[in-house]
Amino acid sequence: MEKRLSAATLPTAGPEQRLERSRRLVAIARGAADEVRDPLLKAFRSDMVVDYKRDLHDVVTIHDKRAEATIRDFIFAQEPNSAMLGEEGGQVGDGDIQWYVDPIDGTSNFASGLAFWCVSIAAVEQGEVVAGVVYDPVADLMFSADLEHAYLNGAVISSQAVDDENRATLITGYPVSRDFRLDGREAALTNLGEFVETFSTLRRPGSAALSIAHVAAGWADAATGFGVNSWDVAAATLILKNAGGRYEPLTLGKVPADAPDFMCPGYIATGAGANYPTLQRVARAISDKRIAAAAS
């Protein structure tokens, strides 16, 4: 069967054509996020059954699975030349546009009734993120990015961070029990102690995608993590970069050094104007230690 030729597959497309199709993919991602808004808000803070995947820290609900199916069906109907990697359903489809979807980033918060969770949807073409959406249904905040700008509810945004880390706000989920196993409990707590002592404020809200989006919006100065997946951060990386922020991927010894940044399990995300040597030193040391351990 002849493969369908999509507007998103022409490698010789010029900048204007690439931007046009990037905007089209953003519109599809926004539409998919809108499709799951009402069902997720209805389920939020209701009685729900909670299951676990890898361990008791890895929560999943039926609402994650239903939302992912809804997003998949919407995307494939709008752009059949698609493939999708979702947190719950894995890889499906064989189209040229690769989507990365986390239907609920921050499921533990969602299941507990804490209002810090989001829907994350990204489109990747030839290894590059070309469209991204991070949607917070509770606050009705639609972060998005095409190849030109980053947006919040349709308005262009620019990140802004304080230049001194001693006055900055850092978001991180580090350490969790997995980090104790990988880095050693004492070393992990020492790393956390450096963050606590260095930064004016440290927060652990529980969603990487939404945390990075908040850095892009200028509501936090930096974020760092050491256990994310592509579906968690792919959309947020483009939003942050196009808002003028900086995203430094950390391989942690799990992916090749030249892997796309959204495929790396660690990251440092900073807003424009940030200069945080302690954050860079500690985060890079964590990555270097894990790279050495993987090599040995």
Side-chain angles (χ1 to χ4, degrees):
M1 179 181 295
E2 183 179 356
K3 194 172 190 178
R4 180 183 183 275
L5 186 62
S6 164
T9 62
L10 298 176
T12 57
E16 291 185 3
Q17 291 173 299
R18 294 187 72 243
L19 179 58
E20 180 181 355
R21 68 176 179 259
S22 166
R23 288 172 173 166
R24 176 175 174 268
L25 296 175
V26 171
I28 292 173
R30 286 174 176 161
D34 281 333
E35 284 289 301
V36 298
R37 175 182 183 272
D38 288 346
L40 290 179
L41 286 178
K42 183 178 180 181
F44 183 52
R45 292 176 178 162
S46 68
D47 291 334
M48 67 178 75
V49 176
V50 175
D51 293 321
Y52 302 92
K53 293 186 282 188
R54 291 174 298 179
D55 54 38
L56 294 178
H57 304 283
D58 196 1
V59 173
V60 66
T61 73
I62 188 62
H63 307 292
D64 297 74
K65 298 173 183 177
R66 288 174 177 169
E68 185 172 305
T70 298
I71 292 168
R72 180 195 63 228
D73 292 346
F74 183 92
I75 288 173
F76 282 26
Q78 296 294 316
E79 178 48 82
N81 189 28
S82 292
M84 191 182 98
L85 178 63
E87 179 176 14
E88 309 308 331
Q91 181 72 35
V92 294
D94 59 359
D96 295 305
I97 305 169
Q98 177 67 54
W99 298 84
Y100 292 86
V101 173
D102 192 342
I104 307 177
D105 186 44
T107 300
S108 293
N109 289 344
F110 174 80
S112 300
L114 297 175
F116 199 88
W117 51 275
C118 66
V119 180
S120 177
I121 304 172
V124 171
E125 180 185 1
Q126 298 179 344
E128 177 189 5
V129 182
V130 297
V133 161
V134 172
Y135 181 50
D136 176 349
V138 178
D140 195 23
L141 299 175
M142 181 75 77
F143 301 90
S144 62
D146 54 32
L147 287 175
E148 185 175 41
H149 294 299
Y151 309 88
L152 174 55
N153 291 346
V156 174
I157 57 172
S158 298
S159 69
Q160 185 64 46
V162 299
D163 57 359
D164 181 1
E165 62 186 4
N166 297 130
R167 297 188 294 113
T169 295
L170 171 66
I171 300 177
T172 185
Y174 182 90
V176 295
S177 60
R178 177 186 60 249
D179 299 311
F180 285 170
R181 294 194 300 270
L182 293 172
D183 300 334
R185 180 185 176 90
E186 183 176 348
L189 291 177
T190 297
N191 293 332
L192 176 62
E194 288 215 56
F195 291 154
V196 171
E197 291 176 338
T198 299
F199 286 86
S200 174
T201 306
L202 187 143
R203 294 289 180 261
R204 296 168 59 91
S207 165
L210 197 52
S211 295
I212 297 168
H214 278 224
V215 176
W219 302 337
D221 300 295
T224 191
F226 305 91
V228 296
N229 297 289
S230 56
W231 50 77
D232 298 319
V233 298
T237 62
L238 185 62
I239 294 168
L240 177 64
K241 292 174 186 176
N242 284 6
R246 182 170 184 268
Y247 189 88
E248 178 181 338
L250 302 170
T251 69
L252 307 181
K254 289 191 172 183
V255 297
D258 60 350
D261 54 11
F262 65 90
M263 297 296 292
C264 295
Y267 70 91
I268 305 169
T270 50
N275 178 25
Y276 304 156
T278 304
L279 173 59
Q280 292 177 326
R281 174 176 55 79
V282 173
R284 291 170 182 172
I286 292 170
S287 184
D288 290 344
K289 181 179 178 180
R290 295 191 190 181
I291 291 171
S296 63

